[in-house]
C-alpha cells in the first residue's frame, strides 16, 4: 500500500484544491481505495453540504433495495441435469436421428426388394450427436468447461453415453419393427462411435464423424442399394468381427485419453 | 529506493504459483506468446498490453485450455505441458474468459453450482460455496434469476462468481470489469484485493485505473513477450508529461511501450 497522505493533503483533496498536483491526486485516490482509515478521515474533511448529499443518496438507495422483490426459489433441476449430460443443441440432432431412422423403417417396409435401410444406416446413427457433443460452437460455455478437471474425456464420455442412451433404444425399437438383427445394428453402431472418438484425437471429433459418415455412405450404403443386396460386412456371420473391432477401437481410444484434455484447433 | 514487484518479494522456498520459461503458445497458426519468461506468486497482478500483445492467448494457456507449443510452464509447482495430468491443477484454478459463454436458462445459483460440480468440488460443500461466491460478487438478491434476464454487468459478476466458487489458488480474469458500472468496479477492486491476499490473481485489462487501484504488480506484454514487470508506482514513474495518457500510470505505460518499440526497431 502507498504511504498514508497527511491530514492537510486529505483536506486539500476533499475541497478540490487546484494547487494539489495531478500525481498527488492520483496517489491519494489509489491510496483511498485500499485504506478504510484514510477514507474515514476524508469523510471527516468533507463539507456539510457534501455529507448531506451522500446521506440523501444512501437513503434513496436503501429505499430502492427495500422495494426490490425478494427472490423466488425456483427449482429447475432438469435444466441442470440436461447440461450435465448433454450440450444445449444436442436435442435437434437427436430428433433428426430419430426422424431419419423412422423414415428408413418406413421405406424398408414399402420397398421389400431393397436391403434394410435401418441396418445400413444404424452404424452412423450416433455420429451426428457425438460430433455435436464436443463441438465448441454447440456449447456456449465451452471455454469455461475446458478449464475444469471434468473437461476432456470425462465430459466427452458422459455426453457420448447420453447420445447412446437415446440412439440404442431407438435402434432396438426400429429393428424390432423391421426384423433387422439387433446385434448387427448395435455392434457396428458402437464400433463407429469408438472409431469416431479415436479418429477425433487426431483430426477432431466433428471431422472424424463427417469422414466416417462419408466413407460408409460411399463404400457400403451406395453400392448396397445399387446392387439391391445386404453387404458382406453386415451379413449375420460378421457379428464376431464387429465385436472384436468395437473392443479394439474402444481400448485404443482410451489409450489416447491425453488428446481430450485440451481443446485442439480441430474442436 | 526502487519499489519491489511481487515477483521479487515472494518467498523463493516455495514453487511459484505461475512459472513460465521461454513459453510459446500458438493462437491459430501464429505464435501469439513467443519466449515469455514470467514468475508470479500470491498477489493481484495486472496484465497490460496493446491489442494483439498475446494477453488472451497467455490467459488461455495459463487456464490449461491451450497447450504450450514450446518452453516450460508450471502452475502451483506442477508442469502443465506435454502429457501432464491437468486435473489437480484445474481443481485449483478459477478462470473467466474474455468472451464468457453461459446457458441462458440457468439461474445464477444453478450456473455457479454447475461450474462447482465440473470443478469436482465435494457435493456436500457446493451449496455453501455457491452462496458465498454469489454473496461476494453482490448477486445475492438475483441468485435465483435466470441468466438471460441479467444485465451485462450482472452477467460479468456471475462469471466472476463461477471463477471464485472453488476458492482457487490461481485466479485468471480476462477483462473482468467490462460492463461493470463505476460502483460495481469499486466493489470488484475491493474483492480483488481480498482475493489477492492468499491467491495468485492475474487480471488482464485495458483499464489502467483498475490496475492502479487493485494490483500489487504489473506485467506488461508486447508482441508475446514480457517487456516490463514491477509495481504500479514504479510504472507510473516511467512516464512524464510528454507521454500520452490521462493518468501517471497511463503515461508510464505509454513510455515503457514506446521505449520497447524503439529498442526493437533498432
Amino acid at each position: 500500500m502507498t504511504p498514508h497522505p497527511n491530514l492537510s493533503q486529505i483536506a486539500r483533496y476533499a475541497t478540490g484544491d487546484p494547487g494539489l498536483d495531478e500525481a498527488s491526486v492520483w496517489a491519494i485516490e489509489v491510496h483511498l481505495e485500499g485504506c478504510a482509515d484514510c477514507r474515514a478521515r476524508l469523510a471527516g474533511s468533507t463539507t456539510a453540504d457534501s455529507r448531506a448529499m451522500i446521506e440523501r443518496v444512501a437513503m434513496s438507495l436503501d429505499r430502492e433495495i427495500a422495494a426490490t422483490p425478494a427472490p423466488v426459489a425456483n427449482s429447475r433441476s432438469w435444466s441442470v441435469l440436461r447440461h450435465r449430460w448433454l450440450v444445449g443443441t444436442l436435442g435437434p440432432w437427436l430428433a433428426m436421428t430419430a426422424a431419419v431412422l423412422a423414415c428408413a423403417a418406413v421405406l424398408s417396409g414399402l420397398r421389400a426388394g431393397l436391403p434394410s435401410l435401418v441396418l445400413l444406416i444404424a452404424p452412423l446413427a450416433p455420429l451426428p450427436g457425438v460430433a455435436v457433443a464436443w463441438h465448441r460452437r454447440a456449447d456456449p460455455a465451452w471455454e469455461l468447461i475446458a478449464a475444469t478437471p471434468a473437461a476432456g474425456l470425462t465430459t466427452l464420455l458422459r455426453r457420448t453415453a447420453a447420445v447412446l442412451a437415446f440412439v440404442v433404444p431407438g435402434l432396438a425399437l426400429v429393428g424390432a419393427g423391421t426384423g433387422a438383427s439387433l446385434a448387427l445394428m448395435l455392434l457396428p453402431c458402437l464400433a463407429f462411435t469408438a472409431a469416431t472418438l479415436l479418429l477425433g484425437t487426431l483430426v477432431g471429433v466433428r471431422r472424424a464423424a463427417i469422414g466416417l459418415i462419408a466413407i460408409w455412405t460411399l463404400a457400403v450404403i451406395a453400392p448396397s442399394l445399387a446392387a439391391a443386396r445386404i453387404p458382406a460386412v453386415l451379413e449375420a456371420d460378421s457379428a464376431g468381427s464387429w465385436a472384436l473391432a468395437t473392443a479394439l477401437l474402444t481400448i485404443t481410444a482410451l489409450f489416447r485419453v491425453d488428446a481430450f484434455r485440451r481443446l485442439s484447433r480441430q474442436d | 529506493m526502487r519499489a519491489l514487484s511481487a515477483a521479487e518479494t515472494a518467498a523463493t522456498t516455495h514453487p511459484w504459483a505461475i512459472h513460465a520459461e521461454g513459453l510459446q503458445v500458438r493462437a491459430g497458426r501464429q505464435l501469439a506468446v513467443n519466449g515469455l519468461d514470467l514468475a508470479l506468486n500470491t498477489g493481484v497482478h495486472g496484465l497490460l498490453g496493446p491489442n494483439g500483445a498475446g494477453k488472451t492467448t497467455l490467459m488461455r494457456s495459463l487456464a490449461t485450455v491451450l497447450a504450450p507449443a514450446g518452453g516450460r510452464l508450471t502452475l502451483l509447482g506442477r508442469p502443465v505441458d506435454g502429457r501432464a495430468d491437468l486435473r489437480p491443477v484445474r481443481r485449483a484454478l478459477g478462470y473467466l474468459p474474455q468472451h464468457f459463454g453461459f446457458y441462458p436458462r440457468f439461474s445464477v445459483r444453478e450456473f455457479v453450482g454447475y461450474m462447482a460440480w465440473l470443478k469436482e468440488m465435494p457435493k456436500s460443500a457446493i451449496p455453501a460455496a455457491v452462496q458465498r461466491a454469489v454473496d461476494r460478487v453482490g448477486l445475492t438478491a438475483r441468485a435465483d434469476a435466470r441468466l438471460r434476464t441479467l444485465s451485462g454487468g450482472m452477467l460479468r459478476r456471475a462469471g466472476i462468481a463461477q471463477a471464485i466458487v472453488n476458492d482457487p489458488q490461481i485466479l485468471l480474469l480476462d477483462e473482468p470489469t467490462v460492463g461493470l458500472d463505476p460502483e460495481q468496479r469499486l466493489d470488484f477492486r475491493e474483492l480483488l484485493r481480498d482475493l489477492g491476499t492468499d491467491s495468485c490473481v492475474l487480471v488482464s485489462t485495458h483499464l489502467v485505473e483498475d490496475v492502479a487501484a487493485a494490483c500489487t504488480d504489473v506485467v506488461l506484454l508486447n508482441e508475446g513477450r514480457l517487456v516490463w514487470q514491477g509495481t504500479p508506482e514504479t510504472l507510473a514513474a516511467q512516464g512524464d508529461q510528454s507521454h500520452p495518457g490521462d493518468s501517471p500510470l497511463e503515461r508510464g505505460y505509454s513510455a515503457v511501450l514506446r521505449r520497447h518499440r524503439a529498442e526493437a526497431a533498432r
Side-chain angles (χ1 to χ4, degrees), chain B residues 96 137 156-165 173 176 180 188 191:
Chain B
L96 176 68
V137 298
R156 209 70 193 152
R157 283 192 276 161
I160 295 165
Q162 67 76 26
I164 64 174
V165 69
L173 303 170
L180 299 189
F188 174 68
L191 175 65

Side-chain angles (χ1 to χ4, degrees), chain A residues 22 33 139 143 261-262, chain B residues 80 90 95 103 189 193:
Chain A
E22 190 193 13
E33 283 216 9
D139 189 344
E143 194 173 348
R261 290 203 175 120
R262 298 192 200 254
Chain B
V80 292
R90 283 178 168 172
Y95 177 45
Y103 305 117
R189 290 172 189 172
R193 284 191 288 266

Side-chain angles (χ1 to χ4, degrees), chain B residues 127-184:
Chain B
V130 169
Q131 189 61 50
R132 186 160 171 263
V134 169
D135 290 346
R136 288 181 93 179
V137 298
L139 279 179
T140 312
R142 304 282 290 166
D144 293 301
R146 288 186 190 225
L147 293 175
R148 68 178 175 199
T149 66
L150 301 186
S151 67
M154 285 181 179
L155 277 175
R156 209 70 193 152
R157 283 192 276 161
I160 295 165
Q162 67 76 26
I164 64 174
V165 69
N166 54 332
D167 288 326
Q169 289 171 265
I170 297 177
L171 178 59
L172 306 163
L173 303 170
D174 200 350
E175 303 283 359
T177 51
V178 172
L180 299 189
D181 65 33
E183 193 185 2
Q184 290 165 355

Side-chain angles (χ1 to χ4, degrees), chain A residues 39 100 113 242-243 250 266:
Chain A
R39 283 201 297 273
V100 170
W242 282 111
T250 305
Q266 292 89 6

Side-chain angles (χ1 to χ4, degrees), chain A residues 14-185:
Chain A
T15 55
D17 182 352
L20 206 59
D21 65 85
E22 190 193 13
S24 302
V25 171
W26 179 79
I28 291 170
E29 280 174 355
V30 168
H31 180 83
L32 285 171
E33 283 216 9
C35 180
D37 290 343
C38 286
R39 283 201 297 273
R41 286 190 200 105
L42 175 69
S45 303
T46 50
T47 61
D49 284 350
S50 303
R51 281 197 295 274
M53 186 188 76
I54 291 167
E55 207 158 302
R56 280 199 305 278
V57 171
M59 281 171 64
S60 149
L61 284 174
D62 285 345
R63 271 199 305 274
E64 277 188 35
I65 290 166
T68 306
V72 179
N74 195 354
S75 172
R76 287 189 291 273
S77 54
W78 161 243
S79 177
V80 177
L81 190 68
R82 188 165 65 92
H83 282 289
R84 283 186 179 188
W85 286 85
L86 306 167
V87 288
T89 48
L90 206 49
W93 288 95
L94 294 178
M96 184 196 76
T97 304
V100 170
L101 283 175
C103 288
V106 171
L107 280 175
S108 294
L110 292 175
R111 301 288 299 270
L114 283 178
S116 167
L117 278 174
V118 175
L119 196 61
L120 285 173
I121 65 168
L124 309 179
L127 301 200
V130 170
V132 173
W134 199 238
H135 185 40
R136 67 170 70 171
R137 285 189 196 144
D139 189 344
W142 69 268
E143 194 173 348
L144 283 179
I145 294 173
T148 67
L153 191 71
T154 311
T155 304
L156 184 67
L157 288 183
R158 231 176 236 148
R159 291 173 175 181
T160 304
V163 173
L164 289 176
F166 175 86
V167 170
V168 169
L171 281 176
L173 198 68
V174 175
T178 59
S181 158
L182 194 61
L184 275 176
M185 283 197 303

Side-chain angles (χ1 to χ4, degrees), chain B residues 27-57:
Chain B
R29 291 183 181 178
Q30 283 195 323
L31 273 178
V33 175
N34 191 2
L36 178 85
D37 296 315
L38 183 66
L40 300 175
N41 226 323
T42 306
V44 184
H45 311 274
L47 181 61
L48 291 176
N51 287 334
K55 299 190 298 293
T56 292
T57 304

